[in-house]
């Protein structure tokens, strides 16, 4: 079986990647450029495809909205692309303008060239319904996944299966007669081999964004920062009041390797879920944080016990006051904190890897 994974990266990360690697990118071919991109360990990188390979099947990745990378593929395959977008497509509207003229045209040719059994869209909403219809017409199986707010539900009807880390979203898809299955996120253990060993630098961190879909989390982190020191990393600093402790202790955006480095340097790290997650624990930070050996302080959810043992592998909190109390307690009880952190890391290494997740995916195909 052969699976083609189609990625759609944050434009903010792609801008950062280009600015940090401009000279290297200018003189590399498609293969080297893609390797350099995945070596940044952004998002799920090539973790899904590597998990498939470890399970004895073929897999390949395409980052459909990295136009510099895709232009190289097109050029190396004798394609003449006449219209190029600006380097940063700042919105979905901007992306939509160029879908047919470049992103989808190249992707469609790549699909035919690779001829996979399955096209796995990691962000199916970024592509047009007409493209998906053509992919479907050519007898390719389409898989999608989603665990964040849905902007447009139409495309999911073209998927043969939709995986979600949110049990509530699985149920919502099934009610619409869309085949859907639960699939939690995971951690890739090889990350620990790709980043130098780190000394602990931060007592407690928060790594994540401030945005309109995190209103509860925005308020939580702002309130907690008034009482205890949090070193904060991520996007959305501009949403914070300039006079707030959270703003003053915000160190800016970190992506990929830099994010993992911060987690490796953290004794403890705070996790909070997107508002729409409701009563379910589902985000990827659960596994990134524990995988890196930080003690995870995460919002209490009814399914957390299915993933980790509370107070033994992770520590849950119920509100801002509870979180403040627990940060203070584990700051003053480092041996207990480190014991929980190590237990959480062992659990993630045992049960929450992409090799295991892809084994589950393959059972449904």
């Amino acid at each position: 079986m052969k699976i083609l994974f189609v990625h759609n990266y944050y434009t903010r990360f792609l801008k950062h990647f280009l600015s940090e690697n401009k000279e290297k990118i200018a003189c590399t071919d498609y293969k080297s450029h893609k390797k350099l991109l995945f070596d940044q360990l952004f998002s799920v990188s090539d973790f899904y495809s590597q998990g498939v390979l470890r399970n004895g099947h073929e897999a390949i990745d395409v980052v459909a909205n990295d136009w510099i990378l895709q232009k190289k593929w097109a050029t190396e395959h004798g394609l003449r692309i006449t219209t190029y977008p600006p380097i940063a497509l700042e919105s979905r509207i901007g992306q939509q303008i160029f879908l047919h003229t470049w992103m989808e045209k190249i992707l469609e040719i790549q699909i035919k060239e690779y001829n996979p059994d399955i096209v796995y869209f990691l962000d199916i909403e970024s592509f047009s319904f007409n493209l998906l219809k053509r992919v479907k017409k050519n007898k390719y199986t389409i898989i999608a996944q989603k665990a964040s707010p849905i902007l447009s539900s139409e495309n999911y009807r073209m998927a043969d299966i939709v995986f979600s880390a949110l049990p509530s979203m699985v149920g919502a898809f099934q009610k619409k007669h869309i085949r859907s299955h639960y699939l939690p996120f995971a951690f890739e253990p090889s990350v620990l081999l790709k980043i130098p060993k780190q000394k602990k630098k931060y007592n407690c961190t928060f790594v994540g964004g401030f945005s309109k879909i995190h209103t509860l989390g925005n308020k939580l982190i702002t309130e907690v920062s008034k009482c205890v020191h949090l070193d904060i990393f991520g996007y959305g600093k501009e949403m914070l009041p300039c006079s707030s402790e959270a703003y003053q202790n915000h160190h800016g955006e970190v992506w990929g390797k830099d994010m993992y480095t911060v987690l490796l340097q953290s004794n403890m790290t705070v996790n909070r879920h997107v508002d729409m997650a409701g009563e379910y624990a589902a985000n990827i930070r659960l596994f990134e944080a524990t995988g890196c050996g930080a003690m995870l302080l995460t919002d209490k959810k009814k399914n957390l016990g299915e993933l980790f043992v509370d107070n033994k592998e992770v520590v849950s909190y119920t509100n801002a006051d509870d979180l403040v109390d627990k940060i203070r307690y584990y700051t003053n009880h480092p041996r207990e904190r480190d014991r929980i952190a190590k237990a959480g890391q062992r659990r993630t290494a045992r049960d929450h890897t992409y090799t295991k997740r892809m084994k589950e995916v393959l059972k449904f195909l």
Side-chain angles (χ1 to χ4, degrees), residues 237-252:
K237 181 179 180 180
E238 65 278 4
M239 293 190 67
L240 298 169
C242 295
S243 60
S244 68
E245 290 82 355
Y247 185 92
Q248 299 300 323
N249 295 323
H250 199 297
H251 304 289

Side-chain angles (χ1 to χ4, degrees), residues 117-232:
D117 301 292
I118 295 159
V119 184
Y120 194 126
F121 289 93
L122 291 152
D123 183 9
I124 200 169
E125 292 180 41
S126 294
F127 302 91
S128 73
F129 187 75
N130 286 334
L131 170 72
L132 300 174
K133 281 176 64 177
R134 294 193 297 272
V135 173
K136 194 88 167 176
K137 185 178 179 180
N138 287 324
K139 308 299 182 184
Y140 296 109
T141 297
I142 294 177
I143 292 180
Q145 70 174 50
K146 191 68 174 178
S148 58
I150 294 175
L151 301 179
S152 174
S153 61
E154 182 183 42
N155 285 5
Y156 295 96
R157 297 192 178 279
M158 298 305 298
D160 295 280
I161 304 175
V162 180
F163 290 106
S164 180
L166 270 174
S168 56
M169 189 167 279
V170 172
F173 280 124
Q174 290 174 345
K175 285 181 180 179
K176 294 180 179 180
H177 306 290
I178 298 171
R179 186 183 175 195
S180 185
H181 298 285
Y182 175 60
L183 184 75
F185 286 108
F187 177 71
E188 174 50 53
S190 66
V191 164
L192 302 177
L193 302 176
K194 297 175 181 179
I195 298 176
K197 189 177 176 72
Q198 301 292 315
K199 291 183 178 180
K200 296 298 183 181
K201 181 178 179 181
Y202 306 106
N203 179 51
C204 191
T205 58
F206 169 70
V207 183
F210 293 88
S211 73
K212 293 179 180 179
I213 64 172
H214 295 103
T215 57
L216 299 176
N218 298 347
K219 183 179 179 181
L220 173 87
I221 299 302
T222 302
E223 289 183 358
V224 170
S225 295
K226 294 176 183 178
C227 303
V228 293
H229 182 83
L230 285 181
D231 284 289
I232 300 172

Side-chain angles (χ1 to χ4, degrees), residues 2 42 63 89 121 141 220 258 265 285 326 336 354:
K2 185 192 294 185
F42 173 71
V63 182
L89 298 177
F121 289 93
T141 297
L220 173 87
D258 293 336
Q265 293 172 340
R285 193 73 78 244
K326 285 174 177 174
E336 190 174 349
Y354 285 99

Side-chain angles (χ1 to χ4, degrees), residues 7-52:
H7 303 256
N8 192 72
Y9 275 4
Y10 289 174
T11 55
R12 291 173 77 151
F13 165 71
L14 289 175
K15 287 170 64 178
H16 170 77
F17 172 67
L18 176 62
S19 67
E20 293 292 312
N21 298 278
K22 198 167 186 178
E23 292 184 5
K24 291 180 182 177
I25 289 171
C27 60
T28 58
D29 59 9
Y30 174 79
K31 183 178 179 180
S32 299
H33 184 155
K34 189 169 82 165
K35 182 181 184 304
L36 180 64
L37 181 61
F38 283 135
D39 282 347
Q40 306 309 304
L41 306 178
F42 173 71
S43 184
V44 295
S45 186
D46 61 349
F47 304 155
Y48 280 58
S49 59
Q50 291 301 311
V52 169

